[in-house]
Amino acid sequence: MRRSTRSPKACAAYQVGVLQALALPGRGRAWRCGAPRQPRSLLDNQPLRELLQAELSFECLSGLLAAGHLRGLAVTASSHARGEHLSLYDAVGDMQDWARTQRRALHTRIGVEHLMASSAIPVVFLATCAPASRSR
C-alpha cells in the first residue's frame, strides 16, 4: 500500500477527551442500569478511520491484484448479533464464496469500512457495519 514515515501512536487509533474520560464511570453505570439512552462505545475510534483513509490506497490494492502481485486479501469481522464470523475478501482467480456453521466468506471490494468492522471491539470501540456487496 503506502509507507508511512510516522510512528503509530495510540492517539492515531482512538481518542478519549477529558470530558469522555470523566464520563467513563457514568457510561459503565448506564450499561449496567439499562439507561434509556445507552452509550454506544467507551472510546472514539474516528482517528483510526481518518488514519486509514489517509494512509491506505484501495485503488492500489486493485492494481496489485490485477497485476498478480497479490492473490487476495481477506478481512474478518464478527457479528455479535448473529454469532457469526464473516470473512470479506477481494481476490483474483476462481475463489468462491462459502458458508459453514457460524462462518461465511463473501467476495467484495475491501475498504475502510471493512477494516473498521474488523477492528471493532464490543463496548470499547463503536461497532461498524461492513458492507458485503458482491463485486463480481
Side-chain angles (χ1 to χ4, degrees):
M1 300 292 225
R2 188 177 350 164
R3 281 206 179 142
S4 176
T5 57
R6 297 184 291 174
S7 298
K9 299 199 178 350
C11 62
Y14 64 88
Q15 184 174 35
V16 181
V18 173
L19 293 177
Q20 284 178 302
L22 293 173
L24 286 178
R27 287 182 177 201
R29 276 193 302 281
W31 270 310
R32 287 193 311 270
C33 299
R37 184 168 177 243
Q38 298 206 355
R40 296 175 60 185
S41 65
L42 291 174
L43 303 175
D44 175 11
N45 59 355
Q46 183 62 29
L48 176 60
R49 179 185 305 278
E50 292 167 4
L51 176 70
L52 294 173
Q53 289 170 333
E55 295 295 326
L56 299 179
S57 167
F58 292 98
E59 294 78 28
C60 182
L61 174 62
S62 297
L64 291 171
L65 289 166
H69 297 295
L70 288 176
R71 290 188 55 210
L73 173 69
V75 176
T76 300
S78 298
S79 169
H80 295 278
R82 291 184 177 166
E84 176 178 76
H85 297 282
L86 181 62
S87 293
L88 300 158
Y89 69 94
D90 197 355
V92 293
D94 60 351
M95 298 191 77
Q96 300 294 316
D97 293 355
W98 53 264
R100 304 212 179 20
T101 304
Q102 297 182 313
R103 295 175 292 153
R104 288 187 304 141
L106 296 173
H107 187 264
T108 191
R109 288 187 177 270
I110 302 295
V112 169
E113 291 304 315
H114 302 100
L115 299 177
M116 294 301 295
S118 180
S119 69
I121 301 170
V123 180
V124 179
F125 292 125
L126 181 63
T128 302
C129 181
S133 61
R134 296 168 194 256
S135 63
R136 287 188 177 170

